[in-house]
Amino acid sequence: MNAPDAFLRRRRDLMSLAEPDSVLIVPGAREVLRNGDSHFAFRQDSDFLYLTGFDEPEAVLVLVPGREAGEQLLFCREKDPERERWDGPRLGLDAAREQLAVDDAFPIDDLDEILPGLMEGRERIYHAVGRDPTFDRQVIDWRNRLRKQKRNVRAPEDFIGLDHLLHELRLIKSADELKRMRRAAKISADAHARAMRACRPGLTEAELTAELLHEFTRHGCPASYLPIVAGGTNALILHYVKNDRPLPDDGLVLIDAGCEVDGYAADISRTFPVSGRFTPAQRAVHEVVFAAQQAAIDRVRPGNVFDDIHDTACRVLTEGLIELGLLTGSLDENLEQQHYRRFYMHKTGHWLGLDVHDVGDYRIDGQSRQLEKNMVTTVEPALYIGVEDDLPEEFRGIGVRIEDDIRVTDGEPENLTASVPAEAAAIEDWMNVG
Ligand code: GLY
Ligand code: MN
Ligand code: MN
C-alpha cells in the first residue's frame, strides 16, 4: 500500500475543499451475503480506499476539520482473537492509529454513540448523498439525535454530496497511483498475451477465461470486472459474461478483461482469430477498428477535449464502414446522421482508476472537458456487425473491439497496455510462434 502520508495528504486536500464548519463521513463497503453464510469476495469502497488504504469491512472515516481533539477519525473493528481465528487478522485500533496516520480510532460499535457529538457546532455534512439509502437514513438519524439530545447546540442543516469534491481529486492520478495502474496494466496485458497464445480450435471460452484468471491470480490480483470471453457472434453481446461456449474454429474471439492492483484497475480488449489467421473479411474489419483506435489514442493530449477521442474514432470507423460497403453515401452525411451507430453503439472510452468506469465529470458547464496531465482514459472503438440479411454475407456476425488504457502526459500519450499485440499482423505473429 501507499505510505500512510499519501492518504493523510488526500484527506487534508479533501478537507481543504470543503466549506467551513463541515463534517465529512465516508463509510467503507459492506460485506454482501452470497447465500447461506458465504459472502461475495469483499471489495472495499473506492472512495474509502482512496482516503485510507484500509481494506477491512465495517469501517467509517469521519473528518472533522479544525477539531482540536483530532480531525481525522477512523471507526473500525477491534481486535478479537476469537473472531480472528475464523476470519483472519484485524488491524485493530492501536495499529490503525499508527499505520493509517489517523488522529484517533474508535470501535465501530461505538459509531452510533459518538457520531452525533462530532456533528455538534457544524453547519453541514458531506457524504455520498443518495448512494446508499440505509446510510443516508443513518446520517439523518445521527443529526436528529444530536438535536434531541442537546437543544441549545448548533446541528447541521445542510447535507452535501461528497462526490464532486472527492471525485475531482481521484480523476488526476498521483505517481503512487500510476505505479499501481502500470502494474495492473502489465499483468492484464500478460494475461491477454497468454490467452492469445494458448488459443486454438477445439478450446472453449471457459478455457481461455482460465488462462486470464491464472495470470491474474498468480500475481495475487482479482479481476477488475467480470471478464468477457466471447467467441464468434457472442462478441455482438456487449456485456457477454457466460464464457461457456466452444470457440468457433474459423471465427474470432473478443476478450475484454483486466485485473486490479491495490484496487486500481486495468481494462483491455483484444480480438483475434481462433485459428491464428484472420480471414480477409475479419482482417478488413479489424484493420478499420485498429486505425480508429490509433487515431483516437493520438487525441489523448492535454488541451484536447474528452469528446475529441470519440469524434475521431467515429470518423475513422465511418470512413472504414463506407470502404467496406457497409454504409453508403458521403462521410459527412453518415457522420451527421450517426449511421455508424448501427455498428458502434457505445462511447470510445471512460476514465480509469479505482473504478473501472472511474469517477470524474466528463463535461464542465455543458462543454466536453479538457484533458489534463495524469488523467487516464480507455480508448476502445469497436465494430459489431449483425447477422441481418441486408448486410454483406462475409461480414455478418463479426464483432471487434480493441481497448487500451491511456495516460495523458505533457505530450505523447502513454499507452499503459501497449505490450499485448493489437494489430492484425502482430497478433498473427504472436499466435504462430513455435
Ligand atoms: N470492461 C468494461 C469496459 O470496457 O468498459
Ligand atoms: Mn472499458
Ligand atoms: Mn473493457
Side-chain angles (χ1 to χ4, degrees):
M1 262 287 129
N2 298 5
D5 283 358
F7 296 100
L8 181 68
R9 246 191 330 271
R10 290 176 195 170
R11 297 191 292 263
R12 286 204 179 125
D13 287 347
L14 178 63
M15 286 193 285
S16 74
L17 293 172
E19 300 276 335
D21 297 325
S22 300
V23 52
L24 299 81
I25 309 173
V26 185
R30 291 178 209 284
E31 286 186 294
V32 182
L33 265 187
R34 185 165 187 268
N35 52 44
D37 49 11
S38 295
H39 291 89
F40 284 103
F42 178 73
R43 170 55 161 79
Q44 187 55 281
D45 176 83
S46 295
D47 284 341
F48 184 86
L49 196 57
Y50 178 80
L51 292 170
T52 65
F54 184 49
D55 198 25
E56 287 186 24
E58 297 187 75
V60 176
L61 175 72
V62 183
L63 301 176
V64 199
R67 180 175 174 268
E68 276 184 16
E71 295 182 311
Q72 307 194 8
L73 312 173
L74 184 76
F75 293 81
C76 65
R77 301 182 303 190
E78 292 181 273
K79 296 293 284 178
D80 179 342
E82 177 59 21
R83 283 313 319 166
E84 289 180 55
R85 168 177 284 274
W86 289 87
D87 301 329
R90 300 173 170 191
L91 189 60
L93 304 181
D94 292 338
R97 282 181 206 108
E98 277 166 33
Q99 294 178 27
L100 302 178
V102 289
D103 295 322
D104 212 343
F106 302 100
I108 188 71
D109 292 337
D110 294 350
L111 181 68
D112 252 355
E113 198 184 309
I114 296 176
L115 203 63
L118 295 173
M119 294 177 170
E120 192 174 323
R122 304 272 148 178
E123 279 188 18
R124 41 191 78 81
I125 301 170
Y126 284 88
H127 74 109
V129 178
R131 192 183 303 170
D132 173 358
T134 310
F135 194 75
D136 285 351
R137 247 191 331 274
Q138 207 171 13
V139 171
I140 295 169
D141 278 353
W142 286 323
R143 194 280 308 264
N144 291 347
R145 197 123 44 86
L146 172 65
R147 270 192 184 155
K148 244 192 234 147
Q149 283 166 359
K150 299 193 174 179
R151 287 181 193 284
N152 50 352
V153 305
R154 196 164 64 173
E157 292 294 336
D158 296 338
F159 298 84
I160 307 178
L162 186 59
D163 293 10
H164 183 70
L165 303 185
L166 185 49
H167 295 175
E168 284 299 298
L169 293 177
R170 279 178 53 189
L171 179 56
I172 307 291
K173 273 65 184 179
S174 68
D176 279 342
E177 293 181 289
L178 288 167
K179 208 162 75 190
R180 284 159 178 79
M181 293 190 73
R182 288 196 188 95
R183 184 165 147 76
K186 170 74 169 72
I187 296 166
S188 302
D190 287 350
H192 275 261
R194 176 186 176 115
M196 210 181 259
R197 189 160 273 178
C199 188
R200 60 179 188 277
L203 292 191
T204 63
E205 294 167 346
E207 286 170 291
L208 290 191
T209 309
E211 296 293 333
L212 298 164
L213 296 179
H214 180 115
E215 197 64 23
F216 297 167
T217 308
R218 79 189 191 89
H219 292 285
C221 298
S224 47
Y225 51 92
L226 290 177
I228 295 171
V229 179
T233 52
N234 290 335
L236 308 182
I237 304 168
L238 298 181
H239 292 162
Y240 178 79
V241 290
K242 283 179 79 73
N243 303 352
D244 63 354
R245 307 311 303 159
L247 293 167
D249 289 359
D250 301 321
L252 295 174
V253 55
L254 185 161
I255 295 185
D256 183 343
C259 70
E260 62 182 38
V261 167
D262 295 340
Y264 288 88
D267 181 7
I268 304 178
S269 300
R270 291 291 186 268
T271 312
F272 52 93
V274 173
S275 68
R277 296 281 171 210
F278 286 90
T279 66
Q282 290 165 354
R283 180 186 299 273
V285 175
H286 195 279
E287 280 175 354
V288 170
V289 177
F290 183 74
Q293 201 219 14
Q294 295 306 296
I297 288 173
D298 194 52
R299 304 297 293 171
V300 183
R301 292 169 187 273
N304 288 347
V305 297
F306 185 77
D307 281 354
D308 288 336
I309 303 167
H310 183 59
D311 293 346
T312 299
C314 290
R315 173 169 288 268
V316 178
L317 290 174
T318 302
E319 284 168 356
L321 287 164
I322 294 170
E323 250 168 59
L324 297 176
L326 289 160
L327 290 177
T328 53
S330 74
L331 176 63
D332 286 345
E333 180 196 320
N334 274 298
L335 281 172
E336 199 174 305
Q337 303 290 322
Q338 301 188 352
H339 285 148
Y340 56 82
R341 290 180 64 134
R342 179 173 180 191
F343 307 104
Y344 182 46
M345 56 297 285
H346 59 71
K347 288 285 190 181
T348 302
H350 49 82
W351 306 132
L352 184 71
L354 283 168
D355 292 349
V356 179
H357 289 195
D358 206 29
V359 294
D361 291 333
Y362 291 96
R363 306 190 80 75
I364 292 179
D365 297 331
Q367 303 291 318
S368 183
R369 174 175 205 145
Q370 287 217 341
L371 299 174
E372 293 170 44
K373 186 175 174 180
N374 294 334
M375 293 174 165
V376 181
T377 181
T378 66
V379 177
E380 50 180 304
L383 287 175
Y384 309 99
I385 303 169
V387 293
E388 299 86 47
D389 291 346
D390 65 321
L391 296 170
E393 201 173 340
E394 71 266 32
F395 293 124
R396 283 183 209 157
I398 292 179
V400 173
R401 179 164 67 253
I402 309 174
E403 173 175 28
D404 283 293
D405 303 343
I406 312 294
R407 177 174 80 95
V408 184
T409 73
D410 286 323
E412 292 297 309
E414 178 190 347
N415 186 342
L416 275 51
T417 47
S419 69
V420 49
E423 193 177 16
I427 288 172
E428 288 189 343
D429 286 350
W430 178 252
M431 293 182 76
N432 290 290
V433 164

